[in-house]
Amino acid sequence: MDAGDILFRRGLLDARQLELARAAHGDGAHLVETAVEMGFVSEEQALRAIGEEVGLEFVELVDLDIDLSLLKNFPHKLIHRQSLFPIRRNNGQLVVATSDPFDLYPLDEVSAATGLAVVPALAPKGEIAKLIKRYLGVGSETVEGLMAQVEEDTVELLSDIETDGSELSEMAQEASVVRLVNEILLEAIETRASDVHIESQAEGLIIRYRVDGLLHSQPMPPEIHRFESAIVSRLKIMSRLNIAEKRLPQDGRIKLKVKGREVDVRVSVIPMIHGEGLVLRILDKGGMTFDLKQLGMDEETYKIFRELIDLPHGIVLVTGPTGSGKTTTLYSALLEIRDETLKIITTEDPVEYQLEGINQIQVHPKIGLTFAHTLRSILRHDPDIVLVGEIRDLETAENAIQASLTGHLVFSTLHTNDAAGAYTRLVDMGVEPFLVASTVEGVMAQRLVRRLCAKCRESFQPRRDELPSDFPWDKLAGGKLFRSVGCRACRNVGFRGRLGIFELMVTTERIRQLAHDGATSWKIKQAAMEEGMVTLREDGWRKVVAGITTVDEILRATKGDRGLDILQGEKKA
């Protein structure tokens, strides 16, 4: 039962008012806020009714004696961001005032931070705001309180910043702006976001986090729009960019230490019609692990790929669009075969993560230090294994092939839709087909899909007309699949984390001959499927049947395999 049903049953909303409130803003605390804004009910009436229904106390905060010692270990960010306030402690339980009884996740954070069982008590949001201002507002913050906030933020810049002394730069250095930017970065890291999008729109500032490949809007108070230029300037100063330049794109980097672990943030600023747009790419070194076995490959694919990366020479390619996990796969492969008897050198643009025991080079195309140029120099350093971040042009491709022909194992990436496309892509660049055929030992195509939250996923019985025609019904044990629901563990998204789906093509003698003869990518793929290659789509369906992800995720990441049904029919015949 939601807030709307409670208010309707208790006579505080009639059917029309409930319909209008739901149409405007949905259920839960948002519906209560909307109904109050529309003048249908007072906030106190609504919260009292909800409290009686769900068994929560309604507290009068006016003239309430607050135990200020409770603030010492209470997360200050939740006071300001979630409008929570500790009011008393009873028998090992912490009573916390809130205006949103339906959002339990912040209460779980309080419990984890304080080590106490948390009991919510209901109070109007405006009364909680007055309480916050009374004890934590301007003129009432003690030195100890400020120190607690500094420790709470725990965002430390690892490099000095420079300012030009202008009014804008001074405003960007104000304590309130610094805390606000730190809060944005902390929230991104805590939610496992890969990117933060800060966008200037006509209506003001919009902040969105990319979590597990999809963007999620971050609710922000309306007052934040006044700080738009200060936030942008603060981030520019942190990344050593020119804050006065607002007409040209700029790129920078921020090095932070957050809660004891190092985090790199790549910053890109582009002028838009309503102001400057920023994208922050979060590279959390402490939160990243490179383990080939944990990427999502099945046992057979892992076994074959492991054999490929142990070869003494040749080229191994990983293909896929931007953001498909190619770098993670290659880093994991390098760490799997890393050994003190081998010299491994990489050339990357940019170096995203620093790997111990591996020599990494950052390319700088503006000064002529390109992939092709560094690759020529690398070969004079007596390497055993070379990683080229990406083969973008004929010169880089020819150097990579030359390296493999002279006894080196070369890893690299290409932007192609499937594994078979890698062979024809190299030929299109201008590489002779016989060189492609003789050097490329295998190609791994991959995509990333979201992993179902194990705590809240639910099984259901699908109908045949709900699923694509190529779905393998014969592999569906019990006729049931899993779908997303949403819970506190996954922040009500229904998914937590991502995994790869893979298509590994080994260059067999038949594939080598087709590549030598300049065959189309479809003929190469057809031959590989006849030899038993599992396509991206097939691997995706396997993970759906196993309950790891959903049908929609596979449809979003892959397209059907033309002719696969025909091939399978021929095999059965």
Side-chain angles (χ1 to χ4, degrees):
M1 181 177 292
D2 60 34
D5 293 328
I6 293 171
L7 298 181
F8 175 76
R9 194 155 51 79
R10 287 182 169 255
L12 296 175
L13 292 180
D14 59 35
R16 179 177 170 278
Q17 290 171 334
L18 177 60
E19 183 179 352
L20 288 172
R22 278 190 170 146
H25 221 132
D27 295 317
H30 295 303
L31 184 139
V32 173
E33 290 175 6
T34 305
V36 171
E37 289 171 2
M38 290 179 166
F40 298 154
V41 64
S42 73
E43 187 178 14
E44 182 175 336
Q45 284 178 313
L47 290 176
R48 283 186 183 276
I50 291 169
E52 290 171 9
E53 189 78 19
V54 299
L56 294 179
E57 174 191 8
F58 180 92
V59 290
E60 298 278 1
L61 297 181
V62 180
D63 300 326
L64 187 69
D65 289 329
I66 302 293
D67 181 0
L68 295 181
S69 67
L70 298 175
L71 292 171
K72 184 177 180 182
N73 296 318
F74 198 91
H76 280 232
K77 63 178 181 180
L78 296 179
I79 292 177
H80 299 286
R81 193 196 308 158
Q82 304 290 346
S83 292
L84 300 181
F85 205 94
I87 54 177
R88 66 174 179 268
R89 184 172 173 174
N90 287 337
N91 300 322
Q93 293 183 324
L94 183 64
V95 181
V96 177
T98 177
S99 62
D100 185 356
F102 300 96
D103 190 3
L104 300 179
Y105 189 83
L107 298 174
D108 288 347
E109 283 193 57
V110 172
S111 180
T114 61
L116 299 171
V118 174
V119 178
L122 301 183
K125 194 169 187 177
E127 295 301 320
I128 297 175
K130 290 177 184 177
L131 199 66
I132 294 171
K133 188 173 182 181
R134 188 191 315 163
Y135 293 108
L136 298 173
V138 177
S140 60
E141 288 181 339
T142 62
V143 174
E144 290 79 15
L146 286 171
M147 289 303 294
Q149 282 191 333
V150 171
E151 291 171 6
E152 183 70 36
D153 289 345
T154 58
V155 173
E156 176 190 349
L157 272 171
L158 296 181
S159 58
D160 295 331
I161 60 175
E162 299 174 1
T163 61
D164 57 10
S166 65
E167 183 180 347
L168 190 59
S169 68
E170 292 302 316
M171 184 172 67
Q173 295 300 97
E174 290 180 3
S176 57
V177 176
V178 171
R179 283 203 298 270
L180 187 55
V181 170
N182 286 353
E183 195 67 31
I184 291 170
L185 293 169
L186 272 170
E187 181 70 11
I189 293 163
E190 287 176 3
T191 56
R192 301 175 296 103
S194 60
D195 303 85
V196 180
H197 292 242
I198 302 174
E199 301 162 338
S200 298
Q201 302 290 342
E203 62 272 17
L205 198 66
I206 293 176
I207 297 180
R208 296 190 290 171
Y209 294 157
R210 188 177 294 281
V211 181
D212 294 336
L214 295 183
L215 284 170
H216 300 270
S217 294
Q218 180 71 7
M220 305 298 293
E223 295 78 18
I224 199 173
H225 303 318
R226 295 190 292 113
F227 296 97
E228 179 178 338
S229 60
I231 291 170
V232 172
S233 297
R234 169 64 182 170
L235 286 165
K236 280 184 171 182
I237 290 170
M238 292 171 72
S239 49
R240 295 173 167 268
L241 300 179
N242 183 359
I243 65 170
E245 179 57 76
K246 299 184 178 182
R247 301 165 301 168
L248 296 173
Q250 297 186 73
D251 294 307
R253 196 163 192 161
I254 306 171
K255 289 189 175 183
L256 304 171
K257 182 171 280 188
V258 180
K259 296 184 178 178
R261 68 179 193 245
E262 288 189 17
V263 176
D264 275 357
V265 182
R266 291 212 307 268
V267 181
S268 175
V269 186
I270 297 181
M272 306 286 186
I273 58 172
H274 294 296
E276 291 177 287
L278 283 79
V279 174
L280 315 178
R281 166 62 61 88
I282 310 270
L283 302 172
D284 185 357
K285 297 178 180 178
M288 192 70 191
T289 56
F290 298 106
D291 187 342
L292 207 53
K293 291 184 177 179
Q294 302 301 317
L295 300 182
M297 296 182 200
D298 60 38
E299 282 296 326
E300 185 62 23
T301 302
Y302 169 77
K303 180 183 175 184
I304 298 171
F305 189 65
R306 191 68 179 76
E307 291 172 357
L308 280 177
I309 64 178
D310 273 331
L311 291 172
H313 54 78
I315 298 176
V316 176
L317 297 171
V318 179
T319 77
T322 301
S324 59
K326 300 188 297 294
T327 301
T328 302
T329 299
L330 286 176
Y331 278 2
S332 300
L334 289 181
L335 293 178
E336 182 107 349
I337 59 178
R338 177 182 58 183
D339 186 271
E340 63 180 13
T341 63
L342 297 173
K343 179 153 186 173
I344 303 174
I345 306 179
T346 76
T347 174
E348 307 169 58
D349 183 20
V351 174
E352 294 193 356
Y353 295 94
Q354 295 175 24
L355 306 177
E356 187 178 346
I358 293 174
N359 304 280
Q360 295 172 275
I361 301 171
Q362 167 80 55
V363 303
H364 291 285
K366 290 181 180 178
I367 60 172
L369 192 63
T370 61
F371 282 129
H373 184 267
T374 55
L375 187 50
R376 285 197 300 271
S377 301
I378 283 171
L379 296 181
R380 291 195 286 271
H381 268 243
D382 187 30
D384 298 288
I385 298 166
V386 177
L387 184 149
V388 183
E390 184 185 345
I391 295 178
R392 297 175 178 171
D393 51 46
L394 175 59
E395 188 181 7
T396 307
E398 287 178 336
N399 286 342
I401 285 171
Q402 188 59 39
S404 71
L405 289 172
T406 52
H408 303 87
L409 181 61
V410 180
F411 294 111
S412 192
T413 69
L414 274 177
H415 287 287
T416 63
N417 290 325
D418 57 14
Y423 300 87
T424 53
R425 179 80 182 92
L426 289 171
V427 172
D428 289 342
M429 283 183 183
V431 180
E432 291 293 339
F434 75 90
L435 287 175
V436 175
S438 60
T439 57
V440 176
E441 297 295 338
V443 184
M444 174 79 86
Q446 66 179 75
R447 300 289 188 278
L448 289 177
V449 295
R450 293 184 295 170
R451 189 191 295 267
L452 276 167
C453 175
K455 292 189 176 180
C456 66
R457 65 174 189 169
E458 69 174 15
S459 63
F460 72 103
Q461 188 86 34
R463 299 195 315 270
R464 279 187 178 269
D465 59 359
E466 293 177 326
L467 299 178
S469 59
D470 63 335
F471 185 83
W473 277 92
D474 56 321
K475 302 285 196 308
L476 196 57
K480 290 189 176 181
L481 294 177
F482 286 87
R483 59 188 170 199
S484 61
V485 178
C487 65
R488 291 199 300 276
C490 61
R491 294 178 179 256
N492 291 313
V493 176
F495 298 89
R496 185 169 177 81
R498 290 188 290 177
L499 78 158
I501 54 174
F502 299 94
E503 175 179 291
L504 178 56
M505 179 178 291
V506 178
T507 310
T508 61
E509 287 307 312
R510 183 180 175 188
I511 302 296
R512 210 178 291 280
Q513 187 62 51
L514 287 169
H516 179 277
D517 296 341
T520 63
S521 61
W522 167 240
K523 285 187 176 179
I524 294 173
K525 182 173 184 175
Q526 187 178 38
M529 289 192 296
E530 288 173 355
E531 292 184 340
M533 182 188 77
V534 176
T535 66
L536 282 168
R537 186 82 155 194
E538 286 180 297
D539 192 41
W541 290 144
R542 289 181 179 184
K543 290 175 170 68
V544 170
V545 170
I548 301 172
T549 189
T550 65
V551 171
D552 287 343
E553 282 295 296
I554 302 307
L555 292 178
R556 182 174 62 84
T558 68
K559 65 177 183 178
D561 299 310
R562 288 187 301 116
L564 182 59
D565 294 336
I566 298 171
L567 282 172
Q568 289 175 335
E570 289 175 354
K571 286 180 189 176
K572 290 176 183 176

